């Protein structure tokens, strides 16, 4: 998914706060499910839940106001 960086995503210098990237990854995870006809609500209605067990992030360069990021999620184990 593409994620445009808005002013509210940034600090006073126009750079994205490092913790904000986890929100973008959560949005990508939701998009991953929905493009496959699934949803978090559907899992919840069926009494199923899932949680992030581990997350590793490598920051390559700062994202800035106005940038468009490509965020993706993949299933590695079911």
């Amino acid at each position: 998914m593409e994620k445009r960086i808005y002013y509210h995503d940034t600090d006073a210098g126009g750079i994205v706060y490092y913790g904000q990237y986890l929100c973008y990854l959560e949005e990508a995870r939701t998009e991953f499910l929905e493009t496959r006809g699934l949803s978090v609500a559907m899992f919840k209605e069926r009494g199923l839940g899932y949680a992030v067990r581990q997350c590793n992030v490598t920051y390559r360069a700062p994202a800035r106001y106005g940038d468009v990021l490509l965020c993706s999620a993949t299933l590695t184990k079911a």
Side-chain angles (χ1 to χ4, degrees):
M1 67 166 234
E2 289 187 350
K3 175 66 178 173
R4 179 172 303 283
I5 303 302
Y6 295 101
Y7 183 73
H8 66 264
D9 293 314
T10 66
D11 61 17
I15 296 173
V16 173
Y17 170 67
Y18 77 94
Q20 189 66 26
Y21 292 96
L22 295 177
C23 295
Y24 305 155
L25 292 173
E26 182 59 33
E27 291 175 21
R29 183 169 74 146
T30 299
E31 291 295 323
F32 174 85
L33 291 173
E34 291 187 0
T35 59
R36 287 154 180 81
L38 305 169
S39 71
V40 174
M42 182 199 75
F43 284 112
K44 189 174 180 179
E45 289 169 3
R46 295 181 182 184
L48 302 171
Y50 62 95
V52 174
R53 187 169 157 263
Q54 182 177 355
C55 182
N56 297 306
V57 179
T58 300
Y59 299 95
R60 296 181 182 176
R64 301 174 186 278
Y65 172 72
D67 287 349
V68 176
L69 305 180
L70 179 60
C71 304
S72 62
T74 58
L75 179 64
T76 57
K77 185 178 180 182

